Amino acid sequence: MDDPRLTDDEVVTSVLGGRRQDFEVLVRRYSSRIVHFVARMTGDNDEARSIAQDVFLKIFVNLPYYRRENNFSAFIFRIARNMTLNWLKRRKRTVFFSRLLGHELDRLPPSQDPPSLSPMEQGEREQALTRQLRRLPVEQRLALVLKVYLEFSYKQIADVTGWSVPKIETLISRAKARLKKGIRLQESGNEPVVEAREK
Amino acid sequence: MNCRKIVRRLSAFQDGELASSLERQIEMHLRECAACSRELAEMNRLRERLLRLPPPAADPYFPGRVMALLPGRPAAAQRLLRAAAWAALFIAVFLGGFLLKTSAGATDADGRHPAATFSSVLLEPQAFGLLAVHDDSLDLFNGGGHEQE
Ligand SMILES: [Zn+2]
């Protein structure tokens, strides 16, 4: 069904021309990357799948606005970024109000897939790192996730975020410094507790 | 270049984002400076650890679920249809009012034509609000993200 010779733009043209079933080609091409992106941003795999689903519905609805300049990836990651940041803002509000009401909704651990066959200790280290990632300021996290997990160049990150390349360099550099510090603290058994409030 | 300047660009160096001349300068410095080399080694370890985090498990039903949820057609077509429907309604209302006026010339208590009154209600800003398509997709195109958590 997915003819790899067809570019994204050609598939888009086909969908807009009435072959809506061809949209599945785009979903198959990008779903694992979008889910991965959202999962790293939210730290929650189940939420990531549900947000990613909404992202694709939004992509479909906004397809007529895509300018077909061989930059489909930037187009859909802009949508994914907007929806993920909105979700994070909403969650922050929910957590705030639940605290105000004395509830502890936010104490529920975010969902992770069942651990891979790794030994217990490694699983714990992975969880700690996921936690550190989630605690990064959102702009730093966004830039780092696009760089490390999506292997975007700074220029491609600029296309998705609208930030300048120097700003992206600074954000990523700070994110790495912060994570390195967090890991050092964690390995010395002093993982910061205060920052956990940001979750 | 001194160590402070090098360390500031080390992340971009690791990401392969520097101009080749600067890259060569940093490589030369790293050969001689143990402190900066340690920084880079630590940064490389961090990247390895980040990449070792397992990605979310693949969900084979994901594409099927998305396809089952797709709305009828992409937005522009829907909007065009909606606009056409409203245009038809307006034409009907004004044409109706015009026909009424020419045939009967009936007026209401304020001396206004009933159909004209109805038309003016439709032209109230609130009524126009109904026409405004709510969609936050337009911010996709300015690309500027200033969201700060
Ligand atoms: Zn040095």
Side-chain angles (χ1 to χ4, degrees):
Chain A
M1 175 176 186
D2 184 357
D3 182 346
R5 285 166 304 176
L6 284 181
T7 65
D8 292 342
D9 284 13
E10 285 166 335
V11 179
V12 171
T13 302
S14 169
V15 175
L16 290 175
R19 289 179 52 90
R20 65 201 285 279
Q21 69 271 26
D22 283 355
F23 188 68
E24 190 168 344
V25 172
L26 299 171
V27 180
R28 288 187 184 279
R29 281 185 190 176
Y30 285 98
S31 59
S32 63
R33 272 177 279 175
I34 295 284
V35 172
H36 196 182
F37 166 73
V38 185
R40 292 298 175 221
M41 288 301 293
T42 59
D44 189 318
N45 290 352
D46 286 340
E47 284 293 349
R49 290 189 195 94
S50 137
I51 295 168
Q53 190 173 299
D54 292 342
V55 167
F56 278 103
L57 296 178
K58 186 130 191 160
I59 291 168
F60 180 76
V61 166
N62 284 292
L63 217 47
Y65 302 107
Y66 169 53
R67 286 199 206 97
R68 280 176 263 184
E69 290 166 340
N70 295 314
N71 212 357
F72 189 65
S73 166
F75 174 75
I76 70 172
F77 273 96
R78 274 202 294 274
I79 295 181
R81 156 193 162 264
N82 286 354
M83 294 184 75
T84 306
L85 295 186
N86 285 340
W87 185 88
L88 287 170
K89 265 187 240 161
R90 270 202 309 280
R91 180 174 68 177
K92 213 176 166 195
R93 266 203 301 275
T94 313
V95 168
F96 173 78
F97 282 114
S98 70
R99 278 218 183 89
L100 213 62
L101 295 168
H103 299 312
E104 293 293 331
L105 289 177
D106 55 310
R107 287 297 150 88
L108 295 171
S111 82
Q112 304 281 320
D113 292 326
S116 43
L117 301 170
S118 61
M120 200 60 179
E121 198 242 356
Q122 197 189 331
E124 273 168 28
R125 281 182 59 173
E126 280 171 2
Q127 277 186 6
L129 188 57
T130 306
R131 220 162 34 235
Q132 307 268 1
L133 205 54
R134 215 167 49 224
R135 282 177 203 158
L136 285 178
V138 76
E139 290 190 340
Q140 288 181 23
R141 201 185 330 156
L142 179 59
L144 185 81
V145 165
L146 289 173
K147 177 70 228 172
V148 173
Y149 293 105
L150 281 304
E151 298 180 333
F152 279 20
S153 67
Y154 291 0
K155 170 71 181 60
Q156 286 173 308
I157 299 174
D159 286 343
V160 172
T161 59
W163 297 330
S164 70
V165 167
K167 173 173 174 160
I168 291 162
E169 179 179 340
T170 306
L171 286 172
I172 293 179
S173 179
R174 286 191 184 147
K176 288 175 187 171
R178 226 172 144 130
L179 287 179
K180 277 193 301 182
K181 194 170 148 209
I183 288 171
R184 249 183 266 133
L185 286 170
Q186 174 213 326
E187 279 170 354
S188 64
N190 292 317
E191 197 183 353
V193 195
V194 196
E195 272 182 293
R197 296 190 63 87
E198 207 215 337
K199 196 186 90 183
Chain B
M1 271 176 109
N2 62 32
C3 291
R4 254 193 33 211
K5 276 188 185 155
I6 299 278
V7 166
R8 267 218 320 264
R9 308 304 301 273
L10 216 48
S11 162
F13 174 81
Q14 182 195 36
D15 291 338
E17 291 278 348
L18 295 181
S20 52
S21 59
L22 186 53
E23 204 172 69
R24 266 197 305 278
Q25 281 184 55
I26 293 184
E27 275 166 5
M28 253 148 62
H29 178 93
L30 288 171
R31 251 177 258 147
E32 290 154 11
C33 177
C36 288
S37 298
R38 263 200 309 278
E39 276 291 323
L40 181 64
E42 209 184 337
M43 218 181 264
N44 285 335
R45 264 202 309 282
L46 170 67
R47 185 167 62 185
E48 278 161 30
R49 281 192 63 176
L50 285 171
L51 289 173
R52 248 184 281 138
L53 288 182
D59 175 1
Y61 303 107
F62 185 89
R65 262 204 321 274
V66 170
M67 292 310 286
L69 287 170
L70 286 192
R73 55 190 108 210
Q78 274 176 353
R79 260 168 236 189
L80 207 66
L81 277 180
R82 221 175 311 169
W86 278 105
L89 183 66
F90 272 102
I91 290 169
V93 167
F94 283 108
L95 201 66
F98 177 75
L99 285 176
L100 266 175
K101 189 165 192 160
T102 49
S103 60
T107 53
D108 66 8
D110 301 329
R112 282 188 299 181
H113 196 281
T117 311
F118 179 50
S119 304
S120 65
V121 168
L122 264 183
L123 289 170
E124 294 281 315
Q126 294 94 320
F128 257 115
L130 292 170
L131 288 171
V133 183
H134 174 76
D135 198 322
D136 55 348
S137 58
L138 293 173
D139 65 329
L140 298 175
F141 304 105
N142 63 27
H146 302 291
E147 289 87 342
Q148 179 66 267
E149 202 175 33

